[in-house]
């Protein structure tokens, strides 16, 4: 039996593939390479010493997905396949709704045809919208998302919950990510955003290697200790291990279960810059810019449920995240080579 990683050539997907392989699972990757590179899958094979069947398909393509299921004995689907740039989702909402919802619906329809009933979903803390209090618990109100990307995650969660109601044998684990950063300790795989990074950490690493001149800090007048936004940053390898822990849980339980994957600790923008400079011995030039619309002062998880249900907790420190992320960028200053 194998685990299908839909969107498995991306940043989180490749790190998760490594951890599944290390845990003894067979992995199959499907990805259309819209925002990823086949080279990343080859590097997973180099890290793990295992051959990984790779299907360059769009999981919205039902016939292509059926061929994959016919050729591979898929037991569980881990769903990363979706467009993820917040700004792009605002500019191109129809593309985001079409792609992200179609990918999920097609996966579920083909899974039903082949009797596959275990699903782990790459959700997001964006489904909480603007919270009434911090930290964020899984039973808090969802909705009031600030962008179409967040709404697609909200809608997919609802689709999965409804699927579990309709089929009492179906199991769905909805993993709500906070802010994954860092890279595999080998430096072979890491985050390789196309164009200008949407998130702070890859921007910092690109400034550190001279690819960009400076970092813009969006606002230093928030009601936080140092005036900058606070987020829950989690090492991508810890996040990947959360998916590995979710599979046996999904195997032993039915219905839908929501679980936060975060550290439970907030780090400010200035704190992450200072940690990066200290750990790596480099200076990160920055300027203060205006606040961005929709940015919240604080946003971090309560991760108790992950420990209780999955036996999982984040283990790597901010120093580890900064060190591993810089190693990746130093070894790959322009990201992955073109395929």
């Amino acid at each position: 039996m194998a685990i299908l990683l839909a969107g498995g050539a991306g940043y989180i997907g490749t790190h998760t593939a490594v951890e599944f392989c290390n845990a003894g699972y067979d992995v199959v990757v499907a990805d259309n390479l819209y925002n990823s590179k086949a080279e990343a899958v080859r590097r997973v094979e180099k890290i793990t010493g295992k051959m990984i069947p790779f299907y360059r398909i769009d999981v919205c393509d039902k016939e292509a997905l059926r061929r994959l299921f016919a050729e591979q004995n898929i037991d569980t689907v881990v769903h990363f396949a979706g467009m993820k740039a917040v700004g792009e989702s605002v500019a191109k909402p129809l593309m985001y709704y079409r792609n992200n919802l179609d990918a999920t619906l097609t996966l579920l329809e083909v899974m039903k045809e082949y009797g596959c009933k275990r699903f782990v979903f790459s959700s997001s803390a964006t489904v909480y919208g603007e919270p009434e209090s911090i930290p964020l618990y899984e039973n808090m109100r969802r909705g009031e998302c600030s962008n179409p990307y967040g709404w697609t995650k909200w809608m997919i969660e609802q689709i999965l919950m409804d699927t579990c109601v309709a089929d009492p044998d179906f199991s769905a684990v909805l993993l709500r990510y906070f802010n994954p950063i860092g890279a595999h300790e080998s430096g072979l795989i890491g985050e390789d955003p196309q164009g200008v990074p949407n998130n702070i950490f890859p921007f910092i690493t690109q400034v550190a290697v001279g690819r960009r001149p400076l970092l813009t800090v969006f606002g230093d007048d928030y009601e936080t200790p140092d005036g900058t936004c606070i987020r829950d940053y989690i090492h991508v390898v810890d996040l990947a291990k959360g998916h590995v822990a979710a599979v046996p849980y999904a195997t032993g339980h039915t219905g839908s279960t929501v679980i936060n994957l975060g550290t439970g600790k907030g780090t400010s923008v200035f704190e992450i810059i200072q940690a990066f400079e200290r750990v790596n011995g480099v200076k990160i030039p920055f300027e203060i810019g205006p606040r961005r619309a929709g940015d919240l002062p604080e946003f971090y998880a309560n991760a108790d449920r992950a420990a209780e249900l999955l036996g999982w907790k984040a283990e790597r420190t901010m120093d580890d995240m900064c060190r591993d992320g810089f190693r990746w960028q130093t070894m790959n200053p322009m990201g992955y080579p073109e395929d």
Side-chain angles (χ1 to χ4, degrees), residues 162-178:
D162 291 342
T163 299
C164 290
V165 171
D167 183 351
D169 294 326
F170 199 87
S171 177
V173 181
L174 285 53
L175 300 177
R176 291 179 181 163
Y177 303 169
F178 280 71

Side-chain angles (χ1 to χ4, degrees), residues 245-256:
V247 168
Y249 181 84
T251 302
H253 297 77
T254 56
S256 60

Side-chain angles (χ1 to χ4, degrees), residues 303-318:
D304 290 348
R305 183 178 289 183
E308 177 187 349
L309 299 184
L310 306 183
W312 173 95
K313 66 177 181 178
E315 298 177 344
R316 288 159 180 77
T317 66
M318 177 56 67

Side-chain angles (χ1 to χ4, degrees), residues 133-323:
S133 61
I134 297 293
L136 290 148
Y137 290 80
E138 290 89 346
N139 61 358
M140 292 174 73
R141 183 191 65 207
R142 293 184 305 147
E144 298 182 13
C145 302
S146 61
N147 56 77
Y149 162 75
W151 279 116
T152 66
K153 294 293 188 182
W154 185 92
M155 291 174 184
I156 292 167
E157 285 197 356
Q158 191 62 48
I159 289 167
L160 291 170
M161 292 174 185
D162 291 342
T163 299
C164 290
V165 171
D167 183 351
D169 294 326
F170 199 87
S171 177
V173 181
L174 285 53
L175 300 177
R176 291 179 181 163
Y177 303 169
F178 280 71
N179 294 74
I181 63 173
H184 191 266
E185 62 183 9
S186 67
L188 290 174
I189 57 174
E191 189 169 10
D192 183 23
Q194 305 301 302
V196 178
N198 293 292
N199 302 318
I200 184 173
F201 193 78
F203 214 114
I204 289 174
T205 62
Q206 290 185 12
V207 170
V209 297
R211 187 168 163 182
R212 301 192 183 277
L214 55 81
L215 171 73
T216 298
V217 175
F218 296 107
D220 64 349
D221 57 352
Y222 287 92
E223 293 182 5
T224 59
D226 65 17
T228 64
C229 291
I230 292 172
R231 296 291 183 266
D232 189 337
Y233 297 99
I234 177 173
H235 198 296
V236 67
V237 173
D238 279 336
L239 186 74
K241 289 186 174 184
H243 294 75
V244 177
V247 168
Y249 181 84
T251 302
H253 297 77
T254 56
S256 60
T257 306
V258 176
I259 300 175
N260 287 337
L261 291 186
T263 65
K265 178 181 182 296
T267 302
S268 76
V269 173
F270 282 160
E271 286 173 336
I272 195 172
I273 293 171
Q274 292 160 5
F276 193 94
E277 291 180 334
R278 175 177 51 79
V279 168
N280 296 309
V282 297
K283 292 296 292 181
I284 303 298
F286 65 86
E287 64 180 5
I288 304 300
R291 292 186 181 191
R292 291 186 302 191
D295 272 351
L296 301 173
E298 289 187 278
F299 205 80
Y300 57 90
N302 175 283
D304 290 348
R305 183 178 289 183
E308 177 187 349
L309 299 184
L310 306 183
W312 173 95
K313 66 177 181 178
E315 298 177 344
R316 288 159 180 77
T317 66
M318 177 56 67
D319 284 6
D320 296 327
M321 300 179 214
C322 291
R323 184 181 303 109

Side-chain angles (χ1 to χ4, degrees), residues 18-29:
V18 169
E19 297 308 318
F20 272 124
C21 289
N22 289 344
Y25 290 93
D26 293 324
V27 168
V28 176
V29 169

Side-chain angles (χ1 to χ4, degrees), residues 13-79:
T14 49
H15 287 82
T16 303
V18 169
E19 297 308 318
F20 272 124
C21 289
N22 289 344
Y25 290 93
D26 293 324
V27 168
V28 176
V29 169
D31 201 299
N32 65 1
L33 304 183
Y34 174 78
N35 192 32
S36 56
K37 301 280 179 61
E39 172 63 19
V41 179
R42 291 190 285 270
R43 293 190 183 189
V44 171
E45 293 178 328
K46 183 176 182 180
I47 292 167
T48 63
K50 294 184 177 180
M51 295 295 293
I52 296 176
F54 172 52
Y55 289 73
R56 184 174 180 175
I57 63 171
D58 189 327
V59 296
C60 296
D61 182 341
K62 185 175 285 187
E63 289 308 313
L65 196 58
R66 282 171 171 154
R67 287 194 294 272
L68 185 158
F69 270 77
E71 293 172 6
Q72 304 290 337
N73 192 8
I74 302 299
D75 178 66
T76 304
V77 170
V78 182
H79 179 23

